[in-house]
Amino acid sequence: MILLVNPRATKPGLRRFPLSIMALGAALPGDVSWDLVDGNKPEHGDLVEVLRQRIEAQRTSGDPVSLLAFTVMPGPQLAAAVPVTKRIKALFPEIPIVWGGYFASLYPQPVGNAPFIDFLVRGQGERTFLELLDVLAGKRDPGTVAGLGWKKDGTLVLNPERPWIGPGELPAPPYHRIHVPEYLEKTHLGARSGVYQASIGCPYTCSFCGVISVYGSRENFEEPARTAKHLAFLKAEHGMDSVHFYDNNFFQAEAHGREVCDRLTPLGLSWWCESRIDVLLSYKDETFRAMKASGLRMVFFGAESGSNEVLAKMEKRLTIEETLALAARIKEWDIVPEFSFVLGGPEDPEHEIDQTLALMKKLKDVNPAAEMVFYFYTPTPQRRAVYGGVNPLDGTPEALEDWTTPEWVDFMTHEKPDVPWMTEALRAKVLDFELILKSRFPSLHDLKTRPWGKVLAQRLARRRWADGDFRDPRLIRSIRKFARVPKDDAQLYGHLRPPAEPA
Ligand code: B12
Ligand code: SF4
């Protein structure tokens, strides 16, 4: 029995299909027994105990656990994964443990340094995982498995990367191995929202992005008919009414985008995806019509910066003029754009931040429905040049446990990276602006602020927004804090949860 584990990455109400481990399980041959253990399920709060009981039960059933495979993303999921892996290894030292996913792919060295992890897999996992089973069965030398990281006399050996294959060559997600309704949650799109990924990778070269570090600058799509078939199943069998596409870059060639929309139209789903601004701007009106007709409600775009100079340094291949044009064009089709920004690069962050906040203001003038997403620049390992010319591994911890401290979790979530060029004052300036913006224009995603709080904060923010006065909005902050719906999940983000209130 192989246990495929998704350590807690989010709170139960936000859980989504655990696609990474579902993909691994689906690729295993029929004679290999496997199961999924999803730490995002509320009943899996104490994941060590869940795994311990499961391993004990398997021992007596005659199909003992032979391998534990963890998927780990940088951020809170890593903070949850480390103590669980460490404890399980201490309890069951004989069971091999393998880590894969974005953290092991971007930062293999600290994973390799951890004595409680035996193997790691970089990049696409399905075929590497299968070959690892041969290694464990003594049928293969670990040095021959592309994509594998293993230990030779206690030292990490990273085998060459494995060229990856497209989704069309991989098995369908094994929905029969999860309880689908548990994963259809209420979102701004619908009452029973699901997720899906129809392509792998991205063909661009943005020099701050973790996707191309892992998959290189290449993208491969599955056939639109296959996408529609899987989504039709989820709708017919489980009543899914909406879907977030997790593709890094959903639209590329216009004919392909058009076909996807045409195939989605009969399903009547509301949907969200991520796309490039320049790509959509190049599409014809009739394609926008097809997108709208197919239920496309919102598109997430990497606008990244309000400075063309910075965009060029990021190798974004985009201009602010294109971003403004797209904001206007997509408004005509009543599709909400969600513009994401990477603020605070190493060169003159103050000036760059001013330009970016100014662009956000203009975007709101052009298209008041546009949503803004704020991230702070966090250097990420790259295959080529790194935006800002910095060493992304500089100062990063060698020990895996050190990555789980709140400081490094803040780094990985791109919310509060402790980088030398960002001052507290600059960060506060961005956060104050964000607060006024999101009070003046309450976000569709904001399900946490009570309606009265939104109305009151909006009134107070209106004048400030018009006057461009973003300094120290203390009163608005207090109102929004007071109006927050209390957190319903005591285990939110593992160790990052606030300490329990004294009785
Ligand atoms: C779903 C998702 C989430 C979900 C997680 C749901 C869950 N699993 O419980 C949520 C919304 C919680 C989330 C949050 C975040 N995410 Co996220 N997320 C994604 C997303 C959109 C899809 C991942 C996915 O399921 N893909 C489908 C599967 C099939 O592919 P895969 O994960 O790559 O898995 C394959 C390989 O990696 C490998 N593999 C994976 N695990 C394992 C394990 C083993 C044992 C093996 C052998 C192989 C293996 O094999 C798999 C099959 O080929 C990706 C973007 C993307 N499209 O990949 C971002 C992405 C992974 N997230 C990212 C980030 C940064 C975050 C956040 C930090 C963002 C934030 N600021 O808050 C948070 C924090 C995460 C956390 N809590 O720790 C980045 C990571 C790169 C980076 N720069 O660090 C990505 C790439 C987005 C991006 N474009 O930057 N995320
Ligand atoms: S377009 Fe998006 S996913 Fe693609 S390389 Fe740039 S930032 Fe990464």
Side-chain angles (χ1 to χ4, degrees):
M1 165 64 68
I2 296 172
L3 291 184
L4 301 165
V5 187
N6 184 36
R8 172 159 290 210
T10 185
K11 56 183 174 174
L14 295 179
R15 71 177 171 274
R16 306 285 176 257
F17 298 144
L19 296 178
S20 322
I21 53 172
M22 286 168 72
L24 293 178
L28 290 172
D31 59 346
V32 174
S33 67
W34 57 276
D35 206 357
L36 305 171
V37 181
D38 185 1
N40 286 335
K41 289 171 109 178
E43 66 272 28
H44 288 174
D46 186 348
L47 192 56
V48 171
E49 188 51 22
V50 171
L51 290 172
R52 192 190 65 76
Q53 286 183 14
R54 186 63 197 270
I55 293 168
E56 300 284 6
Q58 286 301 132
R59 257 187 195 158
T60 47
S61 76
D63 182 14
V65 174
S66 56
L67 177 62
L68 283 158
F70 288 79
T71 184
V72 184
M73 216 183 272
Q77 190 170 43
L78 174 83
V82 171
V84 172
T85 312
K86 204 171 171 179
R87 186 83 190 107
I88 288 295
K89 191 67 176 175
L91 289 170
F92 305 100
E94 71 287 1
I95 304 179
I97 292 186
V98 53
W99 269 34
Y102 271 89
F103 188 81
S105 302
L106 291 170
Y107 303 99
Q109 198 58 54
V111 178
N113 292 344
F116 46 91
I117 298 171
D118 303 289
F119 299 95
L120 66 90
V121 169
R122 292 189 295 155
Q124 190 175 55
E126 288 87 341
R127 289 179 305 159
T128 311
F129 194 57
L130 272 179
E131 293 181 14
L132 171 63
L133 299 188
D134 287 342
V135 171
L136 293 171
K139 293 191 227 159
R140 191 166 179 150
D141 184 314
T144 66
V145 178
L148 189 69
W150 55 288
K151 289 173 193 175
K152 192 174 184 181
D153 305 324
T155 306
L156 178 67
V157 179
L158 287 178
N159 292 349
E161 274 184 83
R162 176 182 294 271
W164 56 271
I165 52 175
E169 291 179 62
L170 292 165
Y175 297 116
H176 58 291
R177 298 299 295 267
I178 58 170
H179 184 48
V180 171
E182 284 180 337
Y183 291 94
L184 300 180
E185 294 282 346
K186 183 170 180 273
T187 67
H188 62 99
L189 289 179
R192 291 171 72 77
S193 266
V195 297
Y196 193 80
Q197 187 170 308
S199 66
I200 297 174
C202 175
Y204 294 87
T205 54
C206 311
S207 56
F208 57 86
C209 171
V211 172
I212 51 168
S213 311
V214 175
Y215 286 98
S217 292
R218 201 187 125 210
E219 185 171 19
N220 195 301
F221 294 83
E222 71 178 4
E223 285 298 316
R226 182 172 137 132
T227 310
K229 184 176 142 201
H230 294 158
L231 298 181
F233 165 82
L234 290 169
K235 180 175 174 165
E237 295 297 318
H238 301 288
M240 186 178 80
D241 63 5
S242 46
V243 62
H244 281 79
F245 282 99
Y246 275 170
D247 305 54
N248 299 298
N249 187 36
F250 189 79
F251 288 111
Q252 203 48 40
E254 187 168 6
H256 176 270
R258 174 68 200 259
E259 185 183 348
V260 177
C261 292
D262 289 347
R263 289 195 182 266
L264 290 179
T265 304
L267 303 182
L269 300 168
S270 301
W271 58 285
W272 175 102
C273 70
E274 298 190 18
S275 178
R276 291 264 316 183
I277 288 167
D278 52 331
V279 169
L280 275 210
L281 210 49
S282 73
Y283 279 14
K284 299 185 201 76
D285 276 357
E286 63 186 75
T287 310
F288 273 89
R289 193 168 296 114
M291 287 178 200
K292 182 70 191 164
S294 69
L296 179 57
R297 290 280 170 79
M298 192 186 247
V299 185
F300 178 104
F301 297 102
E304 322 301 6
S305 175
S307 151
N308 281 337
E309 204 185 320
V310 169
L311 286 168
K313 287 182 178 157
M314 290 174 164
E315 295 192 45
K316 188 72 200 180
R317 288 197 252 156
L318 180 73
T319 63
I320 57 172
E321 291 72 24
E322 287 173 305
T323 302
L324 286 162
L326 188 274
R329 177 130 187 249
I330 205 164
K331 185 177 161 202
E332 291 170 31
W333 297 98
D334 193 24
I335 297 170
V336 177
E338 197 169 18
F339 295 113
S340 165
F341 293 88
V342 172
L343 294 113
E347 287 172 36
D348 199 358
E350 182 148 20
H351 182 52
E352 170 233 298
I353 284 173
D354 283 345
Q355 288 176 297
T356 301
L357 301 186
L359 174 62
M360 290 190 200
K361 202 148 189 306
K362 273 194 204 156
L363 285 168
K364 274 292 190 186
D365 290 343
V366 171
N367 185 340
E371 299 268 348
M372 306 293 155
V373 183
F374 294 68
Y375 286 118
F376 288 101
Y377 175 53
T378 308
T380 302
Q382 295 297 322
R383 290 162 185 258
R384 303 163 67 241
V386 180
Y387 165 52
V390 292
N391 175 1
L393 294 177
D394 212 12
T396 57
E398 282 174 22
L400 195 54
E401 288 92 334
D402 293 342
W403 280 95
T404 67
T405 58
E407 296 72 32
W408 283 103
V409 173
D410 284 346
F411 178 89
M412 290 180 278
T413 53
H414 306 195
E415 279 168 21
K416 199 182 170 190
D418 182 9
V419 283
W421 55 88
M422 272 297 288
T423 61
E424 258 317 302
L426 258 184
R427 223 179 84 80
K429 182 177 187 174
V430 173
L431 296 181
D432 286 349
F433 177 92
E434 184 181 11
L435 180 68
I436 302 278
L437 184 149
K438 290 189 173 165
S439 301
R440 170 66 187 84
F441 305 95
S443 165
L444 280 178
H445 297 292
D446 183 2
L447 306 175
K448 286 186 291 196
T449 312
R450 291 195 172 90
W452 64 262
K454 284 188 192 172
V455 171
L456 199 56
Q458 188 175 36
R459 269 196 204 146
L460 291 168
R462 193 164 282 148
R463 166 54 60 86
R464 275 175 166 268
W465 179 262
D467 295 349
D469 176 9
F470 303 108
R471 283 161 309 152
D472 196 16
R474 237 175 259 190
L475 181 58
I476 298 179
R477 182 164 285 120
S478 306
I479 289 169
R480 288 180 62 103
K481 202 169 162 194
F482 195 60
R484 262 172 94 98
V485 179
K487 289 182 184 131
D488 57 352
D489 174 23
Q491 296 172 58
L492 174 64
Y493 285 168
H495 78 293
L496 291 178
R497 66 181 180 269
E501 297 289 332

